[in-house]
Amino acid sequence: MVVTVHDLRSKADQLLDALDVYDQFVKEWPYEPGEVPDRIEGYLAELDSDTSGSGSSPEVTFATEVKRLYYEACEAEATYLQQARERGQPEWSQIVTEVEPVRKAARGVHTAGYEIDSETDELDYRLPRELCPAHLVSMNGGSSPIIYEDRVTQYQAVADCFSLSPEIVYHPGSGHDVSPSETFTESRVVYADIDEAAMTHLKRAGYEAVGTDATKYELETDADVIIFRNAGLLEEAIVAGNLQSGGWVLANDHLESAQHLARMDSLKLVGVVPDVWTGSSAPVETRNLGAYLSQLDPDQEHSKQFREPAQKPVDSAGQSCTSPAAIEEEDEKEATLGDTRNALNPGRTTGGSESGVPTTKGTPLDLYIFRDVS
């Protein structure tokens, strides 16, 4: 189905109308029987008649309807972005403007029912979860920052292999995940997410976190490293607006972030860290990258140039990594691009317990390492 700008505005308007009614619903919560304003009661009654037999109260049905409209709008936006990518090299600043109505409405959902508590004077969910759209759409189950040890190990492998010591690390779409801070301990790490509750929790724990739509947000100083992890963002616009010249981008492909980045002329794939490995440190694959690229972007030739790191890379075990620049010519000879034009393979095999290097090239949870070559 083709999605137009008109369709995006229509989805956004439907969601904003529901949020307008929900705001009135929250203001006077809790209600005594018979005291619900007519407009809200009419909206709830209509929803209840449409879902008769569901067993849910009108209030729960209302919150669920807001969530449904939210996901419908997000799906329309995702389809529109995919259409833009398929057209090739779109003007991303224009695309950001065109999807702005949906992005604005979506952010409204992430604050719906998440407000200043009058008793504690702190931000919190005002209503029970089943009545609170902000809680229903949050991807974060807990209230504390989360550190994923496997991600820390992957980031450390990248930092060691390419001798990275970034001043600024930017993690848009982070949710509660603060794993980068465990690796880049001397860096300023900035987290940004549309989930206001998640960012509030991070700020309370002492992290630099911004509750915002990362698609339009720009750092005051460009980042040396940007990380995309299960974020599903408009990566092209974020990289264009926030990455230092010669900077690095780390991404997995669970929500196709690595695929989108691989199609950017300004970026070059220089390495891959597998999602599984043996031993305490993760390997960094810098050979046969054409095989990875042919899966991320099978319709393109992969001859983009990149800058060689200023220092010889060293892996997380203290051993030399092969420089991507030194092996690029060998990669082009060894990679059989025609045999790997398929979707990302969810399977995984390795080259043995000693190497831990995958022989199956590319899975959605591998960490792809890109460098800016603009």
Side-chain angles (χ1 to χ4, degrees), residues 3-16 19 66 68-81 95-110 194 213 215-216 232 234:
V3 175
T4 66
V5 172
H6 174 77
D7 295 329
L8 293 177
R9 291 173 180 166
S10 177
K11 293 293 184 183
D13 287 344
Q14 291 177 27
L15 183 52
L16 288 171
L19 286 172
V66 174
R68 184 188 69 80
L69 292 172
Y70 167 85
Y71 284 121
E72 272 194 4
C74 291
E75 181 63 27
E77 180 198 13
T79 300
Y80 188 78
L81 293 178
I95 299 299
V96 169
T97 299
E98 291 168 349
V99 301
E100 171 63 14
V102 169
R103 305 297 303 175
K104 182 179 179 180
R107 189 174 182 195
V109 176
H110 282 279
I194 199 171
D213 174 11
T215 297
K216 293 191 67 176
L234 212 173

Side-chain angles (χ1 to χ4, degrees), residues 82-101:
Q82 183 59 30
Q83 292 170 184
R85 291 180 174 116
E86 290 173 353
R87 290 196 299 268
Q89 302 299 322
E91 176 54 55
W92 287 111
S93 60
Q94 178 182 341
I95 299 299
V96 169
T97 299
E98 291 168 349
V99 301
E100 171 63 14

Side-chain angles (χ1 to χ4, degrees), residues 44-366:
L44 295 177
E46 183 177 343
L47 288 176
D48 191 41
S49 64
D50 290 343
T51 58
S52 59
S54 66
S56 298
S57 68
E59 294 91 340
V60 171
T61 303
F62 184 23
T64 303
E65 172 70 1
V66 174
K67 182 179 76 169
R68 184 188 69 80
L69 292 172
Y70 167 85
Y71 284 121
E72 272 194 4
C74 291
E75 181 63 27
E77 180 198 13
T79 300
Y80 188 78
L81 293 178
Q82 183 59 30
Q83 292 170 184
R85 291 180 174 116
E86 290 173 353
R87 290 196 299 268
Q89 302 299 322
E91 176 54 55
W92 287 111
S93 60
Q94 178 182 341
I95 299 299
V96 169
T97 299
E98 291 168 349
V99 301
E100 171 63 14
V102 169
R103 305 297 303 175
K104 182 179 179 180
R107 189 174 182 195
V109 176
H110 282 279
T111 59
Y114 187 75
E115 302 176 0
I116 296 290
D117 188 291
S118 58
E119 295 183 1
T120 65
D121 201 32
E122 290 189 353
L123 281 166
D124 205 350
Y125 294 118
R126 282 198 58 189
L127 280 69
R129 185 179 188 279
E130 65 273 14
L131 301 181
C132 184
H135 209 162
L136 290 173
V137 301
S138 174
M139 298 297 292
N140 304 282
S143 61
S144 300
I146 299 173
I147 297 170
Y148 296 96
E149 293 300 332
D150 58 336
R151 299 180 185 183
V152 173
T153 301
Q154 286 183 315
Y155 299 146
Q156 190 63 56
V158 175
D160 291 345
C161 184
F162 295 99
S163 301
L164 300 188
S165 54
E167 292 186 14
I168 300 175
V169 177
Y170 180 38
H171 191 0
S174 62
H176 281 93
D177 178 19
V178 294
S179 303
S181 293
E182 291 297 298
T183 297
F184 303 105
T185 56
E186 301 300 317
S187 305
R188 175 191 171 198
V189 183
V190 182
Y191 300 94
D193 200 287
I194 199 171
D195 190 330
E196 293 282 350
M199 295 300 94
T200 298
H201 294 148
L202 264 58
K203 284 185 281 189
R204 288 173 180 169
Y207 296 94
E208 184 174 350
V210 184
T212 186
D213 174 11
T215 297
K216 293 191 67 176
Y217 182 71
E218 292 190 3
L219 300 168
E220 67 277 9
T221 302
D222 287 347
D224 303 287
V225 176
I226 297 179
I227 298 173
F228 295 104
R229 198 105 196 196
N230 307 339
L233 297 169
L234 212 173
E235 297 87 0
E236 299 92 337
I238 293 172
V239 168
N242 293 282
L243 186 65
Q244 284 272 18
S245 177
W248 304 76
V249 183
L250 313 180
N252 69 2
D253 205 49
H254 176 58
L255 294 176
E256 300 185 352
S257 291
Q259 293 185 41
H260 303 156
L261 296 167
R263 297 184 176 103
M264 294 184 67
D265 289 338
S266 62
L267 297 179
K268 174 69 180 181
L269 181 70
V270 297
V272 179
V273 184
D275 68 315
V276 294
W277 59 86
T278 58
S280 59
S281 60
V284 179
E285 173 69 280
T286 55
R287 295 180 180 273
N288 303 320
L289 297 181
Y292 288 99
L293 280 171
S294 67
Q295 295 191 50
L296 292 175
D297 190 11
D299 297 327
Q300 300 295 323
E301 294 295 330
H302 305 294
S303 58
K304 292 183 289 183
Q305 298 300 311
F306 62 92
R307 299 173 185 170
E308 186 174 351
Q311 302 179 25
K312 186 176 183 180
V314 177
D315 69 13
S316 54
Q319 300 176 345
S320 295
C321 293
T322 304
S323 167
I327 64 173
E328 186 177 38
E329 183 176 351
E330 178 184 346
D331 287 350
E332 291 177 354
K333 293 179 181 179
E334 293 180 358
T336 307
L337 300 183
D339 293 337
T340 54
R341 295 178 183 273
N342 56 345
L344 286 172
N345 189 335
R348 164 67 64 197
T349 57
T350 67
S353 58
E354 294 183 358
S355 69
V357 175
T359 57
T360 300
K361 302 297 183 183
T363 73
L365 297 183
D366 286 346

